[in-house]
Amino acid sequence: MFGYQGNILRINLSTGKVGVEKLDEKLAKDYVGGRGLATKIFADEVDALVDALSPANKLIMATGPLSGTPTPTGGRYMVVTKSPLTDTIASSNSGGYWGAELKFAGYDMIIVEGKANKPVYIQIEDDNVEIKDAAHLWGKLVSETTDILEKDAPEKARILTIGPAGEKLSRIAAIMNDRFRAAGRSGVGAVMGSKNLKAIVVRGTKKVPIADPEKLKEVVKDCTKKIRENGVTGEGLPTYGTAVLVNIINENGVFPTNNFQLSQFAEADAISGETLAEKYLTKKDPCYRCPIGCGRYCKTDKVEGGGPEYETIWAFGGDCGVSDMPAVIEANFWCNEYGLDTISTGTTIAAAMELRQRGFIKDHEMDGLSLEFGDAEAVVGWTKKMGMREGLGDKMADGSYRLAESHGIPELSMSVKKQEMPAYDPRGIQGQGLSYATSNRGGCHVRGYLISPEILGLPEKLDRFTLKGKPEWTKIFQDLTAFIDSTGLCLFTSFAMGAEDYGNMVQAATGMEWSAEEVLKAGDRIWNIEKLFNLASGVGPDQDTLPPRLLKEPIGEGPSVGEVTRLDGMLDDYYSLRGWDENGIPTQAKKDELGIE
Amino acid sequence: MDIKVRLFATLREGRSKELMLQLEETPSVEKVLTELEIDERDVAILLINGRDGAIDQILTEGDVVSLFPPVGGG
Ligand code: SF4
């Protein structure tokens, strides 16, 4: 096979058995790789009703056909498993270098099964795969674990690990790699922890076979040119990172503040990308073969490290009413160390602040900290408590939905399917509201980033307040994203590239035919198998919705005043465009069209 | 009339973040760009009072114009 290594590494931690299987070429053509292929294999092998934290759940790390190739941003991998946060399929993407290294070791994906009877880590050096004792690593922070493993590991090895949050089965725990890169969302770190698996060290020296190297060179040159000449990928992201969004989103009056009680933050400029670049940025920290280089490395008087991203700044900043950038950077630092998802951590603190504001959280639960909106010390303090599951931090470590539900008021959790929404108030961005409500992994912006056309004007500007055309745009964005996530490339390339470009690259690498039309059809197929898994897992269409606040309470101030998300005006059209029935269930005709069961 | 202009990202280089402009009657956004020596092609997102605006839109007293170069993220 070309583009693929053609090998799946299967490791059973219960039995200690390690095996290599051949990748099925037909499956690879239908489901591409990464998110798509791993979901297909996962859904075929695992009962959708499995308890996500039981040994019967499996954990897949999957690269795509472009991972480890000379394509721009080809260093990514996807973690696929059943989410302990949402009970839906989880697919969490991460950059850095680990994904490309796994491919160089000769594998398209790793499937981890069962549960070790004591803490272990996996070491992969090309064909040599060992399950090793991790007693000395258990309980250690991400940087400590990485330092120790780097000393013992083969030279140039890349390290993926969980932190204490994953070990303690926090349902918002991340898997970290290359120190600062996170497969952050949906609690994938807890699944790894539930298997007593602390880390995966990988070193590879093999080449990725390319079907048409000359053609690939040409396509890569063309796409790299597009990336460099595009204002967003060529200048905006390299200069300011994702944090440049703070001011744009805030100026539009859709920057959720104080747990979505407000939609504009008066002090946004203090936590903006411009401020970050001016005062705290020390260097850029790009992923493998990335010409964009949005990654940041920042320093304050107290900490230094990778990040923070826009979503992180918003979660600990605006959503908690905090305008203290060093505190935001420190909270991000502790998330990276404990292995916590920054979006879910910050927004859970915001939800706790509102629970406190409304009298649900009592004085004796405060552990000497405050839960006042705007308190910078609180966001740092509660992040640490969540990482260690201390005091109220124990409950908070399972996310905002379970926290608010324990007080009998789950609607204060600003989440979809129990996963916290990120940094855009969908009341003033109608299409994004539909995208949140229908995302296959719950509240999420990277399953269909409607912010791009509705706010940024890419590839064209849509009126963010109207419903017209939004179901169509949502479907196309969701399908194209599903394909990109399956190639091994970074989603940010899509600011500059379209379906045809991705098809050209995968075709040159694999030798398989990939027209723009087939790209979108594969995305549609992937979207549908995810949906079918969720339905089988009991996450039904009743959960294709938003918190009542966003559907019923109009924005009270600023440029988006008076708006709610008019989901009812879009959902039926969206289901019908998808070829689903009026209850949001894929029809037999649709399944036949896509060749799925 | 007084118009408040807010500049972001690279458009801040060599200019301030926020300024008040005193313009003659019925100025358009284009006039604001000329005053600030900003090339229209460098403006990717243009908001007037937080809503999408157009380059030939006529401004009224107290309007806030926000200008961004091409930027994105996620
Ligand atoms: S654009 Fe950013 S996140 Fe994507 S590959 Fe490049 S540095 Fe990594």
Side-chain angles (χ1 to χ4, degrees):
Chain A
M1 289 178 88
F2 294 102
Y4 302 90
Q5 295 290 24
N7 297 316
I8 296 174
L9 178 63
R10 189 183 292 273
I11 301 173
N12 188 308
L13 293 175
S14 300
T15 62
K17 187 167 177 260
V18 175
V20 179
E21 295 158 19
K22 288 287 155 222
L23 178 64
D24 180 329
E25 206 161 333
K26 164 89 170 65
L27 270 195
K29 170 68 203 186
D30 285 348
Y31 294 95
V32 196
R35 175 175 156 194
L37 190 56
T39 301
K40 170 65 180 160
I41 292 173
F42 182 84
D44 282 351
E45 294 187 8
V46 180
D47 179 353
L49 292 172
V50 71
D51 172 355
L53 297 179
S54 74
N57 194 8
K58 298 188 186 185
L59 180 67
I60 302 183
M61 279 86 173
T63 66
L66 299 181
S67 308
T69 70
T71 52
T73 77
R76 305 190 72 91
Y77 71 98
M78 189 65 88
V79 179
V80 171
T81 186
K82 179 171 172 179
S83 164
L85 182 67
T86 61
D87 276 331
T88 65
I89 193 81
S91 44
S92 281
N93 192 278
S94 182
Y97 293 79
W98 190 90
E101 199 70 28
L102 177 66
K103 191 88 173 271
F104 297 146
Y107 309 102
D108 297 303
M109 67 172 76
I110 312 179
I111 304 177
V112 182
E113 307 174 336
K115 175 185 181 177
N117 59 12
K118 58 179 179 35
V120 295
Y121 73 98
I122 296 169
Q123 183 166 304
I124 302 167
E125 203 180 352
D126 290 331
D127 301 342
N128 252 332
V129 180
E130 280 179 86
I131 301 172
K132 300 176 103 167
D133 182 53
H136 62 304
L137 302 171
W138 208 249
K140 296 264 188 293
L141 298 173
V142 167
S143 66
E144 294 168 340
T145 308
T146 307
D147 287 345
I148 296 171
L149 285 173
E150 268 177 1
K151 273 199 207 102
D152 300 344
E155 221 185 308
K156 295 189 180 160
R158 298 287 174 184
I159 290 156
L160 167 155
T161 184
I162 53 169
E167 296 172 17
K168 292 173 190 291
L169 311 184
S170 155
R171 289 175 198 269
I172 55 170
I175 292 176
M176 305 296 300
N177 61 278
D178 302 293
R179 292 179 189 269
F180 307 120
R181 290 281 160 185
R185 305 228 67 196
S186 311
V188 293
V191 176
M192 194 158 149
S194 75
K195 300 193 171 308
N196 268 332
L197 177 60
K198 176 70 177 175
I200 306 179
V201 176
V202 61
R203 170 69 183 135
T205 59
K206 300 180 188 179
K207 285 212 160 62
V208 179
I210 302 295
D212 189 343
E214 277 311 304
K215 180 76 192 165
L216 187 67
K217 220 179 186 177
E218 196 183 295
V219 184
V220 165
K221 199 171 155 205
D222 176 49
C223 290
T224 307
K225 187 161 176 271
K226 283 186 183 169
I227 288 172
R228 291 202 196 281
E229 285 174 359
N230 177 283
V232 174
T233 51
E235 187 166 348
L237 280 170
T239 313
Y240 296 104
T242 55
V244 73
L245 285 176
V246 170
N247 278 324
I248 303 172
I249 303 302
N250 195 54
E251 286 293 295
N252 278 278
V254 285
F255 190 71
T257 301
N258 294 6
N259 199 36
F260 288 70
Q261 294 182 84
L262 301 170
S263 303
Q264 211 167 29
F265 186 41
E267 293 152 271
D269 202 56
I271 53 167
S272 66
E274 289 89 335
T275 301
L276 192 73
E278 190 191 323
K279 295 192 177 154
Y280 305 102
L281 180 72
T282 55
K283 61 178 180 188
K284 288 200 260 172
D285 188 19
C287 304
Y288 175 79
R289 273 189 182 269
C290 179
I292 305 169
C294 76
R296 309 283 94 180
Y297 189 96
C298 291
K299 195 171 172 189
T300 69
D301 292 344
K302 285 189 180 161
V303 295
E304 65 178 286
E309 298 290 338
Y310 166 63
E311 311 294 338
T312 309
I313 293 176
W314 161 77
F316 291 110
D319 204 35
C320 290
V322 167
S323 59
D324 183 323
M325 190 64 117
V328 170
I329 293 171
E330 194 181 349
N332 175 69
F333 171 86
W334 288 113
C335 283
N336 287 346
E337 285 290 18
Y338 287 112
L340 281 168
D341 173 32
T342 59
I343 298 177
S344 287
T345 303
T347 50
T348 298
I349 296 171
M353 286 174 164
E354 188 171 351
L355 286 164
R356 174 74 176 155
Q357 172 194 325
R358 292 173 190 273
F360 289 99
I361 293 177
K362 306 287 184 235
D363 291 352
H364 71 269
E365 296 177 273
M366 301 300 294
D367 264 339
L369 284 171
S370 123
L371 265 176
E372 293 278 317
F373 282 111
D375 188 324
E377 271 176 40
V379 295
V380 177
W382 287 109
T383 298
K384 290 192 205 168
K385 286 195 181 292
M386 288 166 76
M388 292 306 287
R389 276 194 180 276
E390 279 173 11
L392 182 62
D394 181 26
K395 240 195 222 179
M396 291 166 70
D398 285 327
S400 64
Y401 186 89
R402 287 170 175 84
L403 175 72
E405 192 185 34
S406 75
H407 291 283
I409 183 156
E411 57 270 32
L412 284 194
S413 161
M414 291 298 117
S415 59
V416 177
K417 301 181 176 77
K418 303 191 180 78
Q419 174 159 277
E420 292 76 11
M421 274 176 292
Y424 316 90
D425 191 326
R427 287 174 289 190
I429 326 162
Q430 296 295 329
Q432 190 59 44
L434 178 63
S435 179
Y436 281 157
T438 56
S439 151
N440 280 332
R441 67 166 192 180
C444 167
H445 60 297
V446 286
R447 285 296 171 275
Y449 192 61
L450 271 286
I451 302 306
S452 192
E454 293 189 284
I455 301 272
L456 306 174
L458 296 168
E460 62 183 83
K461 186 77 181 76
L462 302 182
D463 181 338
R464 63 193 171 97
F465 298 110
T466 62
L467 307 186
K468 198 167 172 295
K470 299 299 166 67
E472 287 83 353
W473 277 87
T474 300
K475 178 179 183 297
I476 288 185
F477 265 60
Q478 289 175 336
D479 292 349
L480 180 59
T481 301
F483 185 87
I484 299 168
D485 282 347
S486 303
T487 61
L489 296 191
C490 178
L491 188 54
F492 286 169
T493 52
S494 65
F495 286 119
M497 285 163 47
E500 201 179 330
D501 298 312
Y502 294 105
N504 288 341
M505 277 203 260
V506 178
Q507 180 163 330
T510 63
M512 298 172 182
E513 294 268 321
W514 278 107
S515 66
E517 198 187 320
E518 284 173 301
V519 162
L520 290 173
K521 187 165 180 187
D524 195 6
R525 183 179 297 118
I526 293 162
W527 191 267
N528 274 274
I529 60 162
E530 290 177 339
K531 179 72 180 180
L532 289 167
F533 179 88
N534 292 350
L535 290 169
S537 154
V539 181
D542 57 312
Q543 294 198 44
D544 288 351
T545 188
L546 298 174
R549 170 169 292 163
L550 306 182
L551 299 174
K552 292 185 190 141
E553 293 173 26
I555 291 180
E557 77 295 326
S560 303
V561 69
E563 295 289 332
V564 294
T565 306
R566 286 166 282 147
L567 195 56
D568 282 347
M570 297 182 280
L571 203 54
D572 289 348
D573 286 350
Y574 169 83
Y575 285 161
S576 123
L577 273 169
R578 278 237 166 263
W580 298 352
D581 68 17
E582 65 279 12
N583 296 318
I585 315 274
T587 58
Q588 192 55 47
K590 183 70 197 184
K591 290 193 251 180
D592 292 345
E593 176 201 323
L594 297 171
I596 56 179
E597 281 153 30
Chain B
M1 81 177 54
D2 288 337
I3 300 293
K4 188 191 270 188
V5 186
R6 293 158 61 81
L7 301 173
F8 298 94
T10 43
L11 294 180
R12 284 183 180 177
E13 282 165 18
R15 304 183 186 92
S16 54
K17 287 184 195 180
E18 188 173 300
L19 49 137
M20 292 299 291
L21 285 184
Q22 286 197 323
L23 300 169
E24 86 243 17
E25 299 296 292
T26 66
S28 67
V29 176
E30 204 171 358
K31 177 81 187 147
V32 170
L33 297 187
T34 316
E35 282 287 314
L36 297 174
E37 294 178 14
I38 292 173
D39 189 329
E40 189 187 324
R41 285 167 303 186
D42 292 337
V43 177
I45 301 172
L46 153 60
L47 302 175
I48 299 170
N49 305 323
R51 315 280 278 213
D52 295 337
I55 205 88
D56 54 3
Q57 200 165 323
I58 301 301
L59 299 166
T60 55
E61 175 74 32
D63 276 350
V64 180
V65 179
S66 308
L67 302 171
F68 299 86
V71 280

